[in-house]
Amino acid sequence: MSVARLRVSLLLTGAFVAAEAIVGARAHSLALLSDAGHNFTDALALLLSWYALTAARKPATPTKTYGYHRVGILTALFNALTLMAIALFIFHEAYTLVLHPRQVESAPMIGMALIAVALNAGIAISLRGDASHNLNIRSAYIHMAGDALSAVGVVAAGVIIHFTGWNLADALVALLIGAFIAASSWSIVVETINVLLEGTPRGLDVRAMAAAIEALPGVQNVHDLHVWTIADGMNALSCHLRIRDAQIPQAQGVVQAVKVMLAGRYSVRHSTIETECAGCDSPELYCSLPLSDGAHDHGDGACSHSHE
């Protein structure tokens, strides 16, 4: 993703937000003001995405040993929560408008919405390629694509009001915009929380992964398995690997074969594997960490080796 492209998108969106808010207030259009509010969060999302991409380039430090890749996850979560808050505000304002209808000027409403369609659709298209593999960019993409669709709704409301005089179409479209915003942001909230809780990467079958590891020559058993996502496209793994007795002299080669398989089949390119030549205190596939300061050692003395 080009940082320069994000910067240009941010400047265009910021300028449009100011114009749309002014026109929406003068036209007394809640749908247009709702769209301006959504556009404001778009500008914020682009700003945070730009910052996250910049921060992710910082090297790891003694206090941030994974670097700053998680900034993008935090940004995605903030963007999604902002969208949810905007949706709730739109619902409240639309309900108020239903109770107390007001006259809406359709001409400026339609004009500004058409500009919004072109602007947001163009920015969304520019973000689409990176959105498929970057959660941070995906949250910004949903902002922009959602706002393009919202603007289409505003155009439709303006046309209805212009030809029928039914001003409640403004509130109806605002409600639909709010519903779309809430629905599209919820999946981002769920996924980012899963990453922050060190959950299993999306779509990964851990038992199938364990079976694939144990199917490799020389592997007798895998246990104490942990798989998590550091950031988009950065999956990590740690496990204990029991090597068959006949293959103990070739343990390093067995581990290397496991690493190659994990990288190629499961996109896990950061793995820490401890090999064992005897039994382990806990043969369970997953590990329950102690809540206190109690020891947690699955090794067996000199027979345990870690491989990065």
Side-chain angles (χ1 to χ4, degrees), residues 227-245:
V227 192
W228 68 99
T229 297
I230 299 171
D232 291 295
M234 298 181 63
N235 296 330
L237 173 148
S238 68
C239 70
H240 287 194
L241 203 67
R242 188 182 302 175
I243 305 297
R244 297 187 185 279
D245 292 342

Side-chain angles (χ1 to χ4, degrees), residues 3-18 42-44 46-47 119 123:
V3 174
R5 196 188 315 163
L6 273 177
R7 190 183 300 117
V8 171
S9 299
L10 173 61
L11 292 174
L12 290 174
T13 303
F16 182 75
V17 166
D42 291 343
L44 182 60
L46 292 170
L47 175 63
L119 176 65
I123 295 175

Side-chain angles (χ1 to χ4, degrees), residues 206-207 209-211 213-214 219-227 237-244 258 272-288 296-300 303-305:
V206 177
R207 291 196 176 276
M209 170 189 279
I213 293 174
E214 292 178 347
V219 178
Q220 179 176 338
N221 172 265
V222 60
H223 53 274
D224 195 4
L225 177 64
H226 303 273
V227 192
L237 173 148
S238 68
C239 70
H240 287 194
L241 203 67
R242 188 182 302 175
I243 305 297
R244 297 187 185 279
V258 172
T272 302
I273 300 175
E274 181 175 305
T275 58
E276 298 173 350
C277 57
C280 175
D281 293 339
S282 175
E284 298 295 327
L285 178 59
Y286 312 118
C287 173
S288 297
H296 177 67
D297 183 11
H298 283 328
D300 65 334
C303 289
S304 295
H305 306 278

Side-chain angles (χ1 to χ4, degrees), residues 2 16 39 57 62 95 108 155 204 206 226 239 256 262 283 286 289:
S2 169
F16 182 75
N39 264 309
R57 297 177 178 179
Y95 175 72
V155 172
L204 177 63
V206 177
H226 303 273
C239 70
Q256 185 60 33
L262 290 174
Y286 312 118
L289 297 176

Side-chain angles (χ1 to χ4, degrees), residues 14-30:
F16 182 75
V17 166
E20 189 176 31
I22 293 172
V23 174
R26 290 182 176 179
H28 307 294
S29 170
L30 176 60

